[in-house]
Amino acid sequence: MTSPNFHTVDIALAERSYPIQVGTGLLGTADVYVALPKASHAVVVSNTTVAPLYAEALLAALKPRYANVQLVTLPDGEVFKTWQTLNQIFDALLSEGCDRKTILFALGGGVVGDMTGFAAASYMRGVPFVQVPTTLLSQVDSSVGGKTGINHPLGKNMIGAFYQPQLVVCDLDTLKTLPTRELSAGLAEVIKYGPIADMAFLDWIEAHLDALLARDPVALAHAVRRSCEIKAWVVGQDEREAGLRAILNFGHTFGHAIEAGLGYGEWLHGEAVGCGMVMAAHLSHKLGLVDAAFVERLTQLVKKAGLPIVGPQLDAKDNAGRYLELMRLDKKSEAGDIRFVVIDGPARASVRGAPDALVREVIDACCAG
Amino acid sequence: MTSPNFHTVDIALAERSYPIQVGTGLLGTADVYVALPKASHAVVVSNTTVAPLYAEALLAALKPRYANVQLVTLPDGEVFKTWQTLNQIFDALLSEGCDRKTILFALGGGVVGDMTGFAAASYMRGVPFVQVPTTLLSQVDSSVGGKTGINHPLGKNMIGAFYQPQLVVCDLDTLKTLPTRELSAGLAEVIKYGPIADMAFLDWIEAHLDALLARDPVALAHAVRRSCEIKAWVVGQDEREAGLRAILNFGHTFGHAIEAGLGYGEWLHGEAVGCGMVMAAHLSHKLGLVDAAFVERLTQLVKKAGLPIVGPQLDAKDNAGRYLELMRLDKKSEAGDIRFVVIDGPARASVRGAPDALVREVIDACCAG
């Protein structure tokens, strides 16, 4: 390893384990990839924003190891997380004669990672892949844990697979070029890990928020590492979301309704989750599980991170009704019963239903008039 | 169990096991489904040919168990084994509010089974499903073992998943309505199990071919059961085709080239496999692995089963070159090297490469002039 500055978090899953490397100067370092399976083809999947910045370095690092190294560049954005875009990857793989040992590299944010992962899960019924996340959100959340997929016009991430990468490479240098709005969006998922799993981490985030927003590399390294550790711990216990893993969706039930209601891409995923956490905290309070001080503390932190704390209007006539309708379509719903992740103690989350009337009160209190 | 006439074959896989029920009067019997997981929605996926014959009986058997039972009818045929058709299943599931406990039932042949299985593997990252195969080919082969997927314009079954059903229900009554051509196609996969695994079964097939062609229920029951046993034994040892499972592709390398070269659906899959086995037997002979008597014996059996034994011309100028080109695109190819399943002893198959010149000789000898 030539990079002087890295740290490895291991994900231990029933079927197999893989390392998450967190550090600087990683993605262009050939040594990072030495433990990967041999193949004749390596295909890097990226998008029009990220490829010009980092594809060349990654391709160069892979060339000593793989005889055929190619780049597939997708359009950038959540609106392109569709079958049509996914099929661009399949077209490229098939027209280049890629076999079932071909290894894919997802170079980009959550959309690239989710689509490349699903392409890897499905191409010839499964080829290996590597996550090289270049956004804070994908480094702390979507690249870890094996959730892959695409959107359907009727719902987000409705089509996909649980499929684990061989390796995750979190190169902190890529965060230098991240737009501020996306940095904030990533912080939403970092903040999430506090209330659900580690209040000391929440204290740390509050104390270091200015450093994080200023992209201090030491602070970012700790935030990414600790987030990955917590996610690895949860996913290691419940890969397929039979139970515990669902707590990682804190803020996501309301958040998904916001994203779906506004149209995907209008708010960033992290922005919707930030606002969704505020709404879920309100719901937890209304259910008598946390005090008002906790709601206020979380709301202030989300706000300081540069995230919205007031939900958008999704319907002029019956806004709360529209939220409820959208949440019933959420994957976590069972037979039309919406499942909410609530906080029910320090660093403790659980999944439960709630009366519609109570949820309406929360929506009315948390949304713009 | 109200059916007096059934037999269960168990598939034992590392992650989990499931039963294959083989018998008469099964699909419309509610008791057959008692061990399946509970859910609020059950969705039967079928096609325009099979649904009118059997959907009503299956839906009636499921209604006592599931509150919402629906039917999705797809167009019939290999040419519809596409993303567009698959998406019809997703559209139906999402527009009906199907949650992640929804159970899918594949009622039809291999195309319906493969697509429904892939839909189940991918919908909300995985819901349970049941195979109710209604063709001989799907009963003895495609419904067992968890291979699911769709075709891509550049290759057959190129996009899919390994995903195991909860249960396989082989109702022999459905074979009564099967067109003769499809019965023969199914016999190709039955015959396959002899040379690769059980020469006594090959003897039995030769002795009972007339009875099988006459749809004698006792003969069919034995053929389906023994085929499922052999496939279960192979898949149980190698679910993801890391090694042994590849022997199940005997005849398929040449067969896939025929299907792709003619356009999917021109020849039935089983017809292409039947002819492909003859070609693979010739190759085995040219490699010095079997004697000419074996090639002749297999050729005669394939012919008597009503299957083609002469390969089609795929290119007027360079027929063998076209076969080779198509076979290089096969999923089993590695870095452009075609992998052939050859017979190298009684009931013994292995996977190996072969010199292009030798393969050309086989193709020239086996194809129409």
Side-chain angles (χ1 to χ4, degrees), chain B residues 108-125:
Chain B
V111 173
V112 164
D114 283 9
M115 281 201 293
T116 307
F118 188 41
S122 309
Y123 185 65
M124 295 191 177
R125 300 196 189 93

Side-chain angles (χ1 to χ4, degrees), chain B residues 54-352:
Chain B
Y54 304 112
E56 198 179 330
L58 177 56
L59 292 167
L62 298 177
K63 271 177 186 156
R65 189 166 178 80
Y66 302 101
N68 302 284
V69 177
Q70 288 151 278
L71 175 66
V72 177
T73 305
L74 307 177
D76 184 16
E78 180 85 26
V79 290
F80 297 107
K81 193 173 168 181
T82 61
W83 169 260
Q84 286 73 20
T85 312
L86 183 73
N87 211 29
Q88 290 184 28
I89 306 176
F90 294 134
D91 288 345
L93 294 172
L94 282 164
S95 57
E96 295 292 340
C98 291
D99 61 21
R100 63 165 84 166
K101 294 196 169 176
T102 298
I103 183 162
L104 306 191
F105 292 78
L107 175 69
V111 173
V112 164
D114 283 9
M115 281 201 293
T116 307
F118 188 41
S122 309
Y123 185 65
M124 295 191 177
R125 300 196 189 93
V127 297
F129 87 112
V130 173
Q131 291 274 17
V132 189
T134 61
T135 65
L136 182 58
L137 189 133
S138 57
Q139 291 187 356
V140 301
D141 184 38
S142 60
S143 72
V144 177
K147 282 194 180 181
T148 72
I150 56 173
N151 297 332
H152 182 281
L154 296 177
K156 191 173 152 74
N157 294 323
M158 285 295 173
I159 299 161
F162 287 100
Y163 197 69
Q164 302 294 339
Q166 303 282 319
L167 168 71
V168 181
V169 180
C170 296
D171 190 329
L172 300 166
D173 290 340
T174 60
L175 304 182
K176 291 179 189 164
T177 53
L178 196 66
T180 304
R181 192 176 162 196
E182 289 197 39
L183 185 74
S184 291
L187 287 173
E189 299 279 6
V190 175
I191 291 168
K192 174 187 81 178
Y193 293 110
I196 66 168
D198 185 350
M199 291 304 275
F201 186 45
L202 192 67
D203 295 340
W204 181 91
I205 298 166
E206 284 176 324
H208 294 83
L209 191 59
D210 290 340
L212 290 167
L213 288 167
R215 306 180 197 224
D216 174 84
V218 177
L220 285 171
H222 180 74
V224 171
R225 200 156 59 224
R226 185 66 192 130
S227 297
C228 288
E229 280 169 359
I230 294 171
K231 181 146 188 187
W233 172 79
V234 172
V235 173
Q237 290 176 80
D238 177 25
E239 182 179 359
R240 289 183 169 255
E241 201 162 315
L244 179 70
R245 183 168 179 163
I247 68 169
L248 296 172
N249 290 313
F250 178 53
H252 284 60
T253 308
F254 290 105
H256 284 163
I258 293 172
E259 287 184 274
L262 291 176
Y264 297 122
E266 190 63 30
W267 280 26
L268 296 177
H269 175 66
E271 292 171 336
V273 167
C275 186
M277 287 193 292
V278 171
M279 297 172 86
H282 274 273
L283 179 64
S284 305
H285 178 53
K286 283 218 183 275
L287 288 165
L289 304 171
V290 296
D291 58 21
F294 170 79
V295 179
E296 182 58 19
R297 181 185 178 189
L298 188 66
T299 304
Q300 287 310 314
L301 184 58
V302 168
K303 188 179 176 184
K304 275 190 199 158
L307 294 161
I309 56 170
V310 175
Q313 280 285 325
L314 299 181
D315 188 293
K317 269 187 276 182
D318 181 13
N319 183 53
R322 180 65 179 144
Y323 270 83
L324 284 164
E325 180 183 46
L326 289 163
M327 291 192 289
R328 273 187 236 290
L329 283 175
D330 192 273
K331 281 198 296 301
K332 289 183 296 302
S333 294
E334 286 176 14
D337 285 338
I338 307 166
R339 310 294 293 168
F340 295 96
V341 182
V342 294
I343 303 301
D344 57 2
R348 213 178 63 199
S350 62
V351 181
R352 53 170 291 176

Side-chain angles (χ1 to χ4, degrees), chain A residues 21-365:
Chain A
Q21 295 198 8
V22 181
T24 56
L26 293 180
L27 79 81
T29 302
D31 285 358
V32 167
Y33 309 104
V34 287
L36 292 175
K38 297 260 180 193
S40 57
H41 286 77
V43 176
V44 174
V45 181
S46 191
N47 67 31
T48 49
T49 306
V50 175
L53 298 171
Y54 303 112
E56 198 179 331
L58 177 57
L59 293 167
L62 298 177
K63 271 176 187 159
R65 191 169 176 75
Y66 302 102
N68 303 284
V69 177
Q70 288 149 275
L71 175 67
V72 177
T73 305
L74 307 177
D76 183 17
E78 180 85 25
V79 290
F80 296 107
K81 194 172 167 181
T82 61
W83 170 261
Q84 286 74 19
T85 312
L86 183 73
N87 211 29
Q88 290 185 28
I89 305 176
F90 295 134
D91 288 345
L93 294 172
L94 283 164
S95 58
E96 295 292 340
C98 290
D99 61 20
R100 64 165 84 167
K101 294 195 168 174
T102 298
I103 183 163
L104 306 191
F105 292 79
L107 176 68
V111 173
V112 165
D114 283 9
M115 282 202 292
T116 307
F118 188 41
S122 308
Y123 184 65
M124 295 192 178
R125 300 195 188 96
V127 295
F129 87 111
V130 172
Q131 291 274 18
V132 188
T134 61
T135 65
L136 181 59
L137 189 132
S138 57
Q139 291 187 355
V140 301
D141 184 38
S142 59
S143 73
V144 178
K147 282 194 179 178
T148 71
I150 55 173
N151 298 330
H152 183 283
L154 296 176
K156 190 175 153 73
N157 294 324
M158 284 296 174
I159 300 161
F162 286 101
Y163 196 70
Q164 301 295 340
Q166 303 282 321
L167 168 70
V168 181
V169 180
C170 296
D171 189 330
L172 300 166
D173 290 341
T174 62
L175 304 182
K176 291 178 189 164
T177 53
L178 197 65
T180 303
R181 191 176 162 198
E182 288 196 42
L183 185 75
S184 291
L187 287 173
E189 299 280 6
V190 175
I191 291 167
K192 174 188 81 177
Y193 292 111
I196 65 169
D198 184 351
M199 291 304 274
F201 187 45
L202 193 66
D203 295 340
W204 182 91
I205 298 166
E206 284 177 324
H208 295 83
L209 192 59
D210 290 338
L212 291 166
L213 288 167
R215 306 180 196 221
D216 174 85
V218 176
L220 285 171
H222 180 75
V224 171
R225 201 157 55 225
R226 185 67 193 129
S227 297
C228 287
E229 281 170 358
I230 294 170
K231 182 145 188 188
W233 173 78
V234 172
V235 172
Q237 290 176 81
D238 177 24
E239 184 180 358
R240 288 182 170 258
E241 199 161 319
L244 178 70
R245 183 170 179 162
I247 67 168
L248 296 173
N249 289 314
F250 177 54
H252 285 58
T253 308
F254 290 104
H256 284 164
I258 293 172
E259 287 184 273
L262 291 177
Y264 297 123
E266 189 64 29
W267 280 27
L268 295 176
H269 175 65
E271 292 171 336
V273 167
C275 186
M277 287 194 291
V278 170
M279 296 172 85
H282 274 274
L283 179 64
S284 305
H285 178 52
K286 284 220 183 276
L287 289 164
L289 303 171
V290 295
D291 58 22
F294 170 79
V295 179
E296 181 58 19
R297 181 185 177 188
L298 187 66
T299 305
Q300 285 312 312
L301 184 58
V302 168
K303 187 178 175 185
K304 275 189 199 159
L307 295 160
I309 56 170
V310 176
Q313 280 285 326
L314 299 182
D315 188 292
K317 269 188 276 183
D318 181 14
N319 183 53
R322 180 64 181 146
Y323 270 83
L324 283 164
E325 181 184 46
L326 288 163
M327 291 192 289
R328 273 187 236 289
L329 282 175
D330 192 273
K331 279 197 299 301
K332 289 181 298 301
S333 295
E334 286 175 15
D337 285 338
I338 307 167
R339 311 296 292 169
F340 294 97
V341 182
V342 294
I343 303 300
D344 56 3
R348 216 179 61 199
S350 61
V351 181
R352 53 170 290 175
D356 275 7
L358 209 66
V359 178
R360 282 182 175 273
E361 285 178 31
V362 168
I363 295 165
D364 291 343

